[in-house]
Amino acid sequence: MSLSRLLAIFWARNKEFFRDRSALAWNVLFPVLIVAGFAFAFSDEGVDLYKVGVLGEPEVAEAQFRDLQYVDFIAVDDLQSGLRKVQRHQLDLLMEPGSNRYWVNETSPRGHILERALQGSTGQPLVRQAVQGEPIRYVDWLLPGVLSMNMMFSALYGVGYVIVRYRKNGVLKRLKATPLSAFEFLSAQVISRLWVILLVTAGVFFGMSLFIDFPMEGSYLDLLLIFTLGAMSVISLGLVIASRSASEEFASGLLNLVSWPMMFLSGVWFSLEGLHPLVQKIALIFPLTHLIDAARAVMIDGAGLLQVADRLVVLAAMTAVFLFIGALAFRWE
């Protein structure tokens, strides 16, 4: 492997990207417009379902609430995660039907209403547990997803589509005649796209912080590591798509086939809680799901790397598998 050849391809790809001012502007403006639009649209509290977390079977809690309408019962795996969501106003109330205990946030108006409804719907004595915490705005919850989604589009189309264009225009055929190896070429593409994605994401992140006072409870270094690993996994996925595609139209179709399900099923716009279990399992096959969950845990809940280690392991494994498949299947012509 020659470092000089790798750097030559690296700088050539960077110059090509920054000279395409429309693509550069889109990478910067797209997440800003999305976040600003949702911040305005959700500036007032909307009318939605009450959300009750249930430790155990949701059907038992539904029986206690009888025929009360507009209540969504969501299964919660463990007490700590449920309490954190009550503190953040992501759940209006948390119940444990087996022990007749419930937890409510004393600063939540919806939690107060649900508490009164619960007390009037059951004849059994209930044990009240109070928690406190400030609510999370929708725009605060949305921001990690929008940043991750922008990284996904930049990674997939900035690598997959470009390599296919190189192949169609004969650039790869000419590079094949040089001492440049496939590994050097692909490595340069990954490194070039990675640092551009991180640079743009950091600029958008700190730029938005000047206009929207969103929370950042965790470590910036932890968040940087998560974004780096997530970007590498999606870039590697783009390499797999571009490894043999010779048609820009075909590659564009594959990229859309991959990117759009990820955008809607990875938790960018709405929480996956309460959805069909099959949908939640399907979402786990997408690297974007693990990237968003880890980023939200750090930014909103102040989680450390140990708390999101399972997500990082999955992203690292996906990166390794995608890189191996992409390098193995890559062809110059």
Side-chain angles (χ1 to χ4, degrees):
M1 176 176 176
S2 171
L3 182 60
S4 60
R5 292 195 296 265
L6 189 150
L7 290 176
I9 296 296
F10 170 79
W11 287 116
R13 180 67 189 98
N14 290 339
K15 291 178 181 179
E16 182 182 17
F17 174 78
F18 284 107
R19 286 172 180 171
D20 189 350
R21 297 182 179 179
S22 59
L24 180 61
W26 178 250
N27 275 269
V28 174
L29 292 178
F30 179 66
V32 174
L33 293 175
I34 289 291
V35 173
F38 274 92
F40 175 78
F42 289 89
S43 57
D44 294 325
E45 290 291 330
V47 179
D48 54 6
L49 292 174
Y50 294 100
K51 292 186 178 182
V52 176
V54 181
L55 291 168
E57 296 295 330
E59 293 78 10
V60 179
E62 291 181 22
Q64 287 184 308
F65 271 92
R66 296 178 183 175
D67 297 326
L68 192 64
Q69 296 182 350
Y70 310 117
V71 178
D72 188 15
F73 296 91
I74 302 172
V76 176
D77 295 331
D78 61 274
L79 178 60
Q80 292 302 319
S81 64
L83 290 178
R84 185 167 59 249
K85 291 175 182 177
V86 174
Q87 291 174 334
R88 297 294 189 183
H89 294 230
Q90 293 173 290
L91 290 176
D92 301 313
L93 190 139
L94 178 65
M95 295 181 59
E96 189 177 33
S99 62
N100 290 326
R101 292 189 300 170
Y102 71 93
W103 292 261
V104 63
N105 192 325
E106 293 183 324
T107 63
S108 171
R110 287 197 290 255
H112 175 75
I113 294 174
L114 281 173
E115 183 181 16
R116 292 297 182 90
L118 175 62
Q119 292 172 346
S121 299
T122 178
Q124 300 178 355
L126 301 175
V127 180
R128 181 182 190 269
Q129 302 286 339
V131 298
Q132 294 182 346
E134 295 298 323
I136 289 293
R137 300 172 301 173
Y138 178 67
V139 66
D140 300 331
W141 184 88
L142 177 70
L143 182 63
V146 171
L147 291 175
S148 301
M149 181 189 64
N150 192 56
M151 292 170 62
M152 176 197 70
F153 279 115
S154 180
L156 289 178
Y157 286 89
V159 172
Y161 196 79
V162 168
I163 292 179
V164 173
R165 191 182 68 217
Y166 285 169
R167 183 177 291 114
K168 184 177 180 180
N169 294 341
V171 174
L172 294 186
K173 186 176 181 180
R174 291 192 291 271
L175 289 175
K176 183 182 179 182
T178 69
L180 183 72
S181 67
F183 179 78
E184 292 169 344
F185 173 76
L186 294 178
S187 298
Q189 296 298 316
V190 171
I191 297 172
S192 171
R193 179 51 48 172
L194 177 62
W195 90 268
V196 169
I197 288 176
L198 294 179
L199 179 64
V200 172
T201 302
V204 173
F205 180 91
F206 290 107
M208 292 301 299
S209 67
L210 299 177
F211 301 97
I212 300 177
D213 185 22
F214 57 82
M216 180 56 194
E217 303 294 338
S219 167
Y220 287 97
L221 291 178
D222 291 349
L223 185 62
L224 176 61
L225 176 61
I226 291 170
F227 278 156
T228 300
L229 198 53
M232 289 182 63
S233 66
V234 185
I235 291 172
S236 303
L237 179 58
L239 290 178
V240 173
I241 296 174
S243 59
R244 286 186 173 273
S245 301
S247 167
E248 291 177 318
E249 292 77 12
F250 178 70
S252 179
L254 287 179
L255 291 171
N256 286 328
L257 183 64
V258 171
S259 60
W260 286 95
M262 274 203 288
M263 185 174 66
F264 287 108
L265 296 180
S266 295
V268 176
W269 312 106
F270 52 85
S271 174
L272 300 180
E273 294 177 349
L275 297 183
H276 194 282
L278 179 60
V279 176
Q280 298 184 29
K281 291 180 180 179
I282 293 175
L284 295 177
I285 69 175
F286 301 131
L288 191 63
T289 302
H290 303 279
L291 170 58
I292 292 174
D293 287 349
R296 282 198 178 118
V298 171
M299 292 180 63
I300 297 177
D301 298 322
L305 293 180
L306 289 179
Q307 284 74 34
V308 296
D310 55 338
R311 302 292 186 182
L312 299 182
V313 169
V314 173
L315 288 174
M318 287 183 172
T319 301
V321 171
F322 292 151
L323 281 176
F324 176 77
I325 296 175
L328 193 66
F330 180 78
R331 66 178 186 182
W332 292 99
E333 301 180 29

